[in-house]
């Protein structure tokens, strides 16, 4: 994959979005319901798109919100709906549209006071705290965010009463209903003006930030971090976590410096990602170049994406840690420093995460739960405590409270960042040092992920891949021992193909949120062996793409 010549460099003015033009398109452009790309479609984390190409406009939000209102009625969900938004330009208008529909349907809705921003994990936590020990009048939530996507994008996701991402049966229901509304010109959608909605008896403004920050002691040893005076740098990347980090520093008296306190919907302060786009991806060394450049000022520096469900960890010795490396170190630490956790609780990983995690879990005599990409697969286990940790290779994870109770059932980038500081405080060594110790004992994996542009037809062809389509019997010189289209942990379809040999594997799958194909590969031998594995994966993808174009 070619790296853009401006990757890691400040964003030039000529690629910045025109916020006024984007908002105008949000309200004025009408989706073409005959075009499948312009209908409501939920990926691994709700619906995402851009007003500029007719894939996320006011019409979509009206339809999705009414569909959620109807879904709540069918399931007798009668408690409050917590609604948060991130700092993308489309998120504010979309939240206002959603409130107009929620209020018209009489849904009790709670939003952050002072028109503030709310991270995804804060919404998940608020839902779970409200529903604790309740059987009726349960809460649910909406988060208006496209996560780490570029500034011109918007997103809309629904979290049911269990607090995490909605499962397929829910998203399919909402998608079908929303598209029915779109086809009928949204004539059945209930709506009132925003001025009336914000003053409605069913609309409440509240402090969602304070309770989340106050509860952090339940999941992180904040006293240890404060006492050790761990020197922490934070870059919220212009996202919803800014006010949270400022409050965390104040409340717990941490040696914490927010190195970037700018919120600007153009995200002009970002450095460009690998493909020359602005993308708030805290797992990308290019997008995180600014913070990586400050690594020697802090014992650990951390970042989050726009809705704070992802984490990036920077150490003086390694710079930005590969997400797989940090997950392995975090899992090892937690399994050896959370004595109140049930020893029978499994460690959840996606099947495209590093096999080093498998070895860490096996070494500590714990159970592994391997699932397809998508945090929704971990949510039920985190909810009932049968999973103690769930993590994705894309730098999203969450884990149980120190006493073994549920913290969040959605990804929480804030606690993963704070955990890095706790590791330093309690062990005197940073996560990179712990990762080095693990690889010395268990072997050093060589891992890579490559993203390639892919059309809708190409993505569908990848999703439909079957094991028998691969005629090869060897992978990089070794006998193939597994061809998987379903995950070992739960038997769910992976939406692609994973091929494994004794000391290497690859997986190919389409992105659920962008026009991309993702190729994952790992070697337990060497970088040279990894390249051979990648080359074979690349040949398969090219063959699939060629067939899709016929």
């Amino acid at each position: 994959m070619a790296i853009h010549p401006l990757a890691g460099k400040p964003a030039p003015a000529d690629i910045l979005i025109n916020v006024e033009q984007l908002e105008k398109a949000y309200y004025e452009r009408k989706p073409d319901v005959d075009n499948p790309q312009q209908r409501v479609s939920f990926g691994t984390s709700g619906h995402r798109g851009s007003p500029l190409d007719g894939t996320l406009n006011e019409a979509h939000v009206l339809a999705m919100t009414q569909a959620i209102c109807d879904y709540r009625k069918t399931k007798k969900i009668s408690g409050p709906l917590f609604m948060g938004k991130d700092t993308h330009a489309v998120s504010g208008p979309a939240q206002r549209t959603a409130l107009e529909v929620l209020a018209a349907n009489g849904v009790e809705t709670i939003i952050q006071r002072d028109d503030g921003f709310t991270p995804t994990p804060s919404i998940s936590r608020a839902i779970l705290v409200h529903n604790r020990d309740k059987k009726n009048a349960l809460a649910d939530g909406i988060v208006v965010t496209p996560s780490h996507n570029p500034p011109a994008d918007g997103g809309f996701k629904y979290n049911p009463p269990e607090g995490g991402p909605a499962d397929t049966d829910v998203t399919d229901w909402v998608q079908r209903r929303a598209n029915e509304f779109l086809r009928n010109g949204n004539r059945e959608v209930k709506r009132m003006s925003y001025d009336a909605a914000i003053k409605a008896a069913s609309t409440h403004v509240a402090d969602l930030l304070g309770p989340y920050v106050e509860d952090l002691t339940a999941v992180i040893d904040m006293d240890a971090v404060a006492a050790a005076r761990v020197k922490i740098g934070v870059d919220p990347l212009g996202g919803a976590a800014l006010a949270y980090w400022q409050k965390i520093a104040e409340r717990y008296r941490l040696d914490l410096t927010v190195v970037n306190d700018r919120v600007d919907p153009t995200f002009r302060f970002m450095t460009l990602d690998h493909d020359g786009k602005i993308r708030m991806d805290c797992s990308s060394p290019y997008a995180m170049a600014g913070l990586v450049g400050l690594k020697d000022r802090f014992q650990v520096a951390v970042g989050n994406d726009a809705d704070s469900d992802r984490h990036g960890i920077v150490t003086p010795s390694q710079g930005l840690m590969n997400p797989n490396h940090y997950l392995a170190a975090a899992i090892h630490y937690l399994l050896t420093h959370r004595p109140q956790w049930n020893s029978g609780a499994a460690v959840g990983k996606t099947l495209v995460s590093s096999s080093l995690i498998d070895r860490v879990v096996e070494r500590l005599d714990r159970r592994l739960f391997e699932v397809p990409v998508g945090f929704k697969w971990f949510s039920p286990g985190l909810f009932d405590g049968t999973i103690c940790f769930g993590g994705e290779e894309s730098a999203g994870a969450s884990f149980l409270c120190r006493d073994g109770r549920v913290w969040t059932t959605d990804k929480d980038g804030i606690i993963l960042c704070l955990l890095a500081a706790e590791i330093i405080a309690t062990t005197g060594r940073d996560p990179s040092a712990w990762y080095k110790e693990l690889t010395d004992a268990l072997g050093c994996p060589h891992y890579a992920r490559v993203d390639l542009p892919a059309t809708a037809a190409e993505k569908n062809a990848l999703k439909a891949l079957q094991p028998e389509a691969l005629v090869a019997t060897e992978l990089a010189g070794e006998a193939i021992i597994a061809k998987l289209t379903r995950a070992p942990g739960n038997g769910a379809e992976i939406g692609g193909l994973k091929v494994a040999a004794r000391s290497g594997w690859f997986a190919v799958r389409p992105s659920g949120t962008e026009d991309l194909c993702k190729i994952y590969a790992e070697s337990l031998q060497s970088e040279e062996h990894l390249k051979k594995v990648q080359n074979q994966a690349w040949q398969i993808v090219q063959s699939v793409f060629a067939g899709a174009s016929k």
Side-chain angles (χ1 to χ4, degrees):
M1 178 183 64
I3 302 299
H4 194 278
L6 294 180
K9 302 291 195 297
D14 61 356
I15 74 163
L16 300 180
I17 61 167
N18 182 319
V19 175
E20 184 178 343
Q21 180 185 54
L22 192 66
E23 290 193 10
K24 188 172 187 289
Y26 170 78
Y27 287 110
E28 295 183 2
R29 180 160 181 170
K30 307 301 178 187
D32 177 4
V33 294
D34 293 326
N35 182 348
Q37 300 304 305
Q38 295 186 24
R39 299 175 195 155
V40 171
S41 175
F42 279 79
T44 52
S45 293
H47 177 89
R48 296 182 192 175
S50 174
L52 299 177
D53 57 21
T55 52
L56 193 139
N57 302 82
E58 183 184 49
H60 295 100
V61 177
L62 288 169
M64 289 187 288
T65 310
Q66 185 62 55
I68 289 169
C69 290
D70 292 354
Y71 176 79
R72 295 178 99 243
K73 288 180 182 177
T74 66
K75 297 300 180 180
K76 296 181 171 56
I77 301 171
S78 58
L81 183 145
F82 293 91
M83 182 162 59
K85 65 175 179 182
D86 76 359
T87 54
H88 278 77
V90 180
S91 296
Q95 187 188 61
R96 291 192 288 273
T97 299
L99 189 62
E100 293 170 4
V101 177
L102 293 167
N105 282 270
V107 174
E108 184 183 358
T109 305
I110 300 174
I111 57 176
Q112 175 63 33
R113 69 186 185 194
D114 303 321
D115 197 29
F117 305 109
T118 308
T120 286
S122 185
I123 293 295
S124 179
R125 180 69 183 165
I127 293 169
L128 293 173
V129 169
H130 179 275
N131 293 343
R132 189 184 293 154
D133 301 324
K134 285 188 176 69
K135 293 184 178 179
N136 300 304
L138 299 179
D140 54 1
I142 289 172
V143 188
V144 186
T145 174
S147 190
H148 62 290
N149 277 29
D153 285 2
F156 200 84
K157 61 183 181 180
Y158 173 65
N159 286 28
E162 294 75 26
D167 203 349
T168 309
D169 60 335
V170 181
T171 57
D172 285 351
W173 195 101
V174 171
Q175 177 178 304
R176 284 194 300 270
R177 186 73 170 138
N179 283 322
E180 289 173 9
F181 290 134
L182 278 182
R183 281 191 290 272
N184 293 326
N186 281 333
R187 285 187 292 272
E188 300 170 73
V189 173
K190 297 178 183 178
R191 185 184 189 183
M192 64 172 61
S193 72
Y194 178 73
D195 286 343
I198 196 67
K199 297 174 184 174
S202 58
T203 300
H204 311 280
V205 295
D207 175 23
L208 301 176
L209 183 160
Y212 174 92
V213 171
E214 198 64 30
D215 283 352
L216 282 171
T217 55
V219 69
I220 296 291
D221 190 345
M222 299 300 293
D223 289 340
V225 176
R229 302 303 295 164
V230 179
K231 195 171 181 62
I232 309 166
V234 178
D235 188 348
L237 301 184
L242 173 60
Y244 281 66
W245 282 114
Q246 292 169 331
K247 185 66 174 179
I248 289 168
E250 174 192 331
R251 165 65 181 81
Y252 295 103
R253 299 183 179 182
L254 303 183
D255 186 358
L256 186 156
T257 302
V258 175
V259 301
N260 170 25
D261 62 0
R262 288 170 289 180
V263 174
D264 179 343
T266 68
F267 293 90
R268 66 180 68 242
F269 44 78
M270 287 295 300
T271 51
L272 300 184
D273 204 359
H274 64 90
D275 55 0
K277 294 183 179 181
I278 296 176
R279 188 180 285 110
M280 288 60 70
D281 184 354
C282 48
S283 66
S284 164
Y286 304 103
M288 287 277 280
L291 188 59
V292 172
L294 302 177
K295 65 183 179 65
D296 294 327
R297 285 178 46 188
F298 305 101
Q299 289 175 273
V300 66
V302 298
N304 299 117
D305 63 343
D307 72 320
S308 319
D309 68 346
R310 299 191 186 202
H311 58 273
I313 309 298
V314 176
T315 64
S317 62
Q318 292 295 117
L320 180 65
M321 291 188 72
N322 179 292
N324 279 299
H325 299 180
Y326 181 57
L327 289 181
I331 289 167
H332 179 270
Y333 173 82
L334 287 167
L335 293 182
T336 54
H337 288 79
R338 293 294 188 268
Q340 289 182 268
W341 282 7
N342 184 340
S343 61
V347 174
K349 61 161 278 198
T350 55
L351 52 72
V352 295
S353 300
S354 174
S355 55
L356 178 64
I357 294 171
D358 306 43
R359 296 182 176 190
V360 169
V361 173
E362 182 180 12
R363 183 191 196 192
L364 296 173
D365 197 26
R366 303 297 284 263
R367 184 168 60 89
L368 189 72
F369 181 64
E370 192 171 19
V371 298
V373 171
F375 201 79
K376 65 183 180 183
W377 303 113
F378 302 130
S379 297
L382 288 168
F383 183 76
D384 64 18
T386 56
I387 292 176
C388 58
F389 182 100
E392 298 184 302
E393 60 77 35
S394 55
S398 190
F399 49 89
L400 298 179
C401 289
R402 295 158 71 187
D403 64 2
R405 293 188 298 170
V406 61
W407 169 252
T408 63
T409 48
D410 213 331
K411 294 174 286 191
D412 190 336
I414 295 174
I415 65 165
L416 267 295
C417 291
L418 287 169
L419 181 66
E422 181 188 325
I423 291 171
I424 296 170
T426 59
T427 71
R429 304 166 67 192
D430 68 31
S432 290
W434 279 106
Y435 173 75
K436 175 66 165 55
E437 180 170 303
L438 290 173
T439 58
D440 287 346
L442 302 174
C444 182
H446 303 270
Y447 180 100
R449 188 189 96 184
V450 176
D451 295 348
L452 301 174
T455 65
E458 290 168 342
K459 289 170 65 175
N460 287 334
L462 278 177
K463 194 179 295 187
L465 265 178
Q466 293 299 315
E468 53 268 22
L470 181 63
V471 296
T473 58
E474 291 188 347
L475 175 62
E478 295 183 323
I480 291 174
I481 57 176
K483 300 176 184 179
L484 303 174
T485 55
R486 292 183 178 273
N490 60 0
E493 292 185 355
I494 66 177
L497 176 69
K498 181 175 181 178
V499 178
R502 183 177 60 84
S503 56
W505 62 266
F506 74 81
V508 295
R509 56 173 289 273
S511 169
T513 57
E514 295 184 85
D515 293 329
L516 297 171
C517 154
K518 299 176 184 288
I519 303 176
Y520 310 81
E522 185 172 52
S523 167
L524 300 177
Q525 292 185 16
S526 64
E527 285 291 334
E528 182 181 357
H529 183 250
L530 171 64
K531 287 183 172 59
K532 292 179 181 179
V533 174
Q534 287 179 299
N535 286 339
Q536 197 161 339
W538 168 253
Q539 292 170 12
I540 291 172
V541 170
Q542 288 303 299
S543 174
V544 172
F545 282 6
S549 64
K550 292 180 181 178

